[in-house]
Amino acid sequence: MKINVFETKEELYRAVADFYIKAINEKPNMILGLATGTTPIPLYQNLIKAYQDKLVSFKDITTFNLDEYIGLPKTHKESYFSFMRNQLFNHVDINLDNTHIPSGVLEPSEAIKEFQTALDAHQVDIQLLGLGSNGHIGFNEPGTSFESTTHKTQLALSTIQDNSRMFDSIDEVPTESITMGIKDIMRASKIVMIATGAQKADAVYKMIQGPVDESLPASILQKHDDVVIFLDKDAASLLK
């Protein structure tokens, strides 16, 4: 694991954006695994600006998103389909036919098969991850098998509470999702993890310095050959 700690979130997100700009310019047709939630939004904003400044192009990029809520139509403002368009895709030159997000409205087994088939036909070059306060990656909650592939999952109460800030009330947050599995995530050539804020410090500590255990899904990253972690000083505060 290569661990980078920054004084401010602004410095962190500038560094992550520079990392992606360099990587995409070196391999313009790379395959990116993308994440949703509040963590990647500043990264996407920086990448949009870089595109507008003609520093990077997404026209040959292929993407796979980690997850999607079950039961939200694509048109729902909090579906991850809408999120990716609003936060990134609609503002850059990506070919939308090359973007893949699990379906939240197909029958789940059908949605899982469709997404897994597409994912298995590609090799993700860089997988972006945020870190749940309970150590989840994607929507792989504590207790998820390290051998899991794309699957349906029940969201933990802590995840529902964390995500409720995006909805008008906690009662509106879906309780189930389809998520890329941990085995799928670990297949990526490189993994980039971003975590900020004191509320993530315990999960960061356990991810990096705790035992590798399914009770803390992100701990599996200790077993990957190429992980780059971007932390602000608050998220890194418990590291020795």
Side-chain angles (χ1 to χ4, degrees):
M1 288 181 169
K2 183 181 179 189
I3 302 166
N4 305 281
V5 181
F6 298 87
E7 281 295 307
T8 68
K9 289 182 182 179
E10 289 74 24
E11 290 174 310
L12 182 157
Y13 282 105
R14 263 200 309 274
V16 185
D18 289 345
F19 173 93
Y20 271 92
I21 292 163
K22 182 173 184 287
I24 292 168
N25 285 331
E26 288 175 355
K27 186 178 180 181
N29 65 337
M30 70 164 32
I31 298 167
L32 297 178
L34 298 181
T36 51
T38 53
T39 295
I41 290 176
L43 168 61
Y44 296 156
Q45 290 171 340
N46 285 351
L47 291 178
I48 291 166
K49 185 172 190 312
Y51 164 72
Q52 292 169 341
D53 292 343
K54 297 183 167 51
L55 299 176
V56 70
S57 170
F58 295 83
K59 66 184 177 65
D60 296 319
I61 294 290
T62 297
T63 68
F64 285 87
N65 263 79
L66 284 165
D67 40 38
E68 177 61 284
Y69 290 118
I70 290 176
L72 289 190
K74 290 179 177 180
T75 53
H76 192 287
K77 66 184 177 69
E78 297 304 339
S79 75
Y80 289 153
F81 181 93
S82 291
F83 176 99
M84 288 309 304
R85 276 161 173 70
N86 295 335
Q87 300 296 340
L88 182 63
F89 295 159
N90 286 350
H91 310 287
V92 296
D93 58 343
I94 198 163
N95 179 351
L96 291 174
D97 291 339
N98 294 334
T99 64
H100 302 83
I101 301 174
S103 171
V105 293
L106 278 179
E107 197 280 320
S109 62
E110 191 177 336
I112 289 164
K113 182 180 178 182
E114 179 184 88
F115 184 77
Q116 189 73 52
T117 298
L119 183 60
D120 286 345
H122 296 79
Q123 173 59 44
V124 173
D125 293 296
I126 305 174
Q127 176 63 60
L128 177 64
L129 297 176
L131 179 65
S133 56
N134 64 358
H136 75 244
I137 48 177
F139 273 139
N140 294 287
E141 299 286 13
T144 302
S145 168
F146 287 153
E147 292 299 307
S148 60
T149 54
T150 305
H151 61 282
K152 175 181 172 181
T153 183
Q154 289 283 135
L155 301 186
L157 179 58
S158 59
T159 301
I160 292 170
Q161 289 169 337
D162 286 348
N163 290 6
S164 65
R165 64 186 181 277
M166 308 291 284
F167 292 80
D168 293 332
S169 82
I170 195 169
D171 297 329
E172 293 182 13
V173 184
T175 58
E176 296 179 317
S177 74
I178 290 173
T179 185
M180 192 186 294
I182 294 174
K183 188 175 183 179
D184 298 319
I185 291 169
M186 291 291 285
R187 276 204 307 124
S189 300
K190 183 188 288 284
I191 293 173
V192 169
M193 160 70 75
I194 302 172
T196 64
Q199 76 278 9
K200 300 292 177 72
D202 184 60
V204 166
Y205 169 77
K206 290 173 180 173
M207 170 179 70
I208 296 172
Q209 296 180 333
V212 177
D213 190 272
E214 290 176 352
S215 65
L216 200 291
S219 65
I220 191 63
L221 300 183
Q222 294 178 38
K223 300 288 189 181
H224 196 281
D225 291 335
D226 192 356
V227 180
V228 185
I229 300 176
F230 293 84
L231 306 171
D232 68 358
K233 63 182 181 180
D234 292 334
S237 62
L238 297 181
L239 294 178
K240 296 189 175 81

